[in-house]
Amino acid sequence: MESSVKAAGKPTMAGQIEVQLRHDILHGILAPGAKLNLDKLRSSMDVGLSPLREAVTRLVAEGLIEAEAQRGYTVTPISVANLNEVCALRLELEPYALRKSIENGGLDWETAVMGALYRLNKTDRIPGDPVSLANWEVANNAFHLTLVERCDMPLLIKMYKSLVSMNDRYRHIYLKAVAVQRDVIDEHTAIAQAAVERRANDAAALLARHIERSTNNLRLLISADLPENPQ
């Protein structure tokens, strides 16, 4: 999701700052609800205020930072209600995007889907091992993006990536200290097989069930940690 890239392919300064801030937010280094002091951030990151503001503005648009008049910037808080909203939007958008990919994608797309599945299934996810967890996250996101990217709808893909970032933040924060909740190899395999076999209804239903199961696991953890949050 490193969108801030010049035509020549070299990230701009704002793009580099955006990548770092996104990483720190998604992994809980910048805690949910934390106030962001731009002067302190500028000093600690040794960057200029202008590119920092540009990066923060992009993350506001992405939903990871909130801006409030006269009160500055805050890392978007986490809550069960927010997770539920992210899940609801994913359930609307992702199965639709997958259906469109099945319509539009050819042999190259089928090959890409099965290749991404193979890489994901061959990537270990070891609780307590941050390197393996990070590698699995990359492979997992690549697989899911490959499934839907041939919807050929840039705005939809932009919204999809934003929702995935918000969902990933919950997973990074809450699953880094606990065991992997379930083995999803069979789920991913079933989705991929239905997709490349052009069984659009089955593929969309399997993807929706996969999203719901993942969200339910996170919801249980968050509800235990934030019992006062509205459901």
Side-chain angles (χ1 to χ4, degrees), residues 35-52:
K35 293 290 185 181
L36 296 180
N37 184 305
L38 296 192
D39 286 333
K40 290 182 179 179
L41 274 178
R42 178 184 59 78
S43 178
S44 65
M45 299 180 77
D46 192 24
V47 296
L49 187 57
S50 179
L52 176 60

Side-chain angles (χ1 to χ4, degrees), residues 61-76:
E62 197 171 314
L64 294 177
I65 293 176
E66 294 181 349
E68 194 169 350
Q70 308 302 320
R71 300 186 66 177
Y73 299 98
T74 303
V75 177
T76 301

Side-chain angles (χ1 to χ4, degrees), residues 4-224:
S4 307
V5 180
K6 290 182 178 179
K10 182 179 179 180
T12 64
M13 177 57 69
Q16 294 176 38
I17 298 169
E18 179 187 352
V19 168
Q20 183 62 54
L21 289 176
R22 181 185 292 107
H23 174 275
D24 290 351
I25 292 170
L26 293 182
H27 290 79
I29 298 170
L30 289 173
K35 293 290 185 181
L36 296 180
N37 184 305
L38 296 192
D39 286 333
K40 290 182 179 179
L41 274 178
R42 178 184 59 78
S43 178
S44 65
M45 299 180 77
D46 192 24
V47 296
L49 187 57
S50 179
L52 176 60
R53 286 187 181 276
E54 182 178 347
V56 168
T57 298
R58 293 171 182 169
L59 294 175
V60 169
E62 197 171 314
L64 294 177
I65 293 176
E66 294 181 349
E68 194 169 350
Q70 308 302 320
R71 300 186 66 177
Y73 299 98
T74 303
V75 177
T76 301
I78 57 177
S79 68
V80 174
N82 178 257
L83 177 64
N84 288 343
E85 184 175 357
V86 170
C87 178
L89 290 171
R90 290 185 67 195
L91 288 173
E92 290 294 326
L93 295 179
E94 288 184 49
Y96 174 78
L98 178 56
R99 287 178 182 275
K100 299 302 290 186
S101 284
I102 291 172
E103 289 180 17
N104 298 333
L107 180 58
D108 287 345
W109 173 74
E110 293 178 11
T111 303
V113 167
M114 299 311 292
L117 174 69
Y118 182 83
R119 178 176 292 277
L120 176 56
N121 286 348
K122 288 294 185 178
T123 302
D124 292 329
R125 180 167 60 157
I126 304 170
D129 180 352
V131 174
S132 77
L133 292 174
N135 289 339
W136 188 90
E137 289 286 347
V138 170
N140 181 62
N141 285 348
F143 169 71
H144 280 276
L145 177 59
T146 303
L147 282 172
V148 302
E149 63 184 349
R150 276 309 317 272
C151 69
D152 298 341
M153 302 174 72
L155 290 177
L156 177 53
I157 291 299
K158 182 178 180 180
M159 288 185 282
Y160 160 80
K161 289 181 176 180
S162 178
L163 290 169
V164 167
S165 287
M166 288 185 274
N167 185 84
D168 282 353
R169 183 166 68 131
Y170 287 94
R171 189 163 64 238
H172 290 151
I173 291 173
Y174 281 89
L175 296 188
K176 65 183 179 182
V178 300
V180 173
Q181 297 296 295
R182 73 187 198 283
D183 189 348
V184 294
I185 287 178
D186 289 344
E187 292 178 30
H188 287 146
T189 300
I191 295 167
Q193 289 178 340
V196 301
E197 291 170 6
R198 311 294 169 161
R199 293 185 283 116
N201 289 338
D202 290 342
L206 288 166
L207 179 58
R209 198 172 305 133
H210 175 70
I211 294 169
E212 288 175 332
R213 286 172 176 167
S214 297
T215 302
N216 286 340
N217 285 337
L218 287 172
R219 189 181 292 115
L220 289 173
L221 293 171
I222 296 166
S223 295

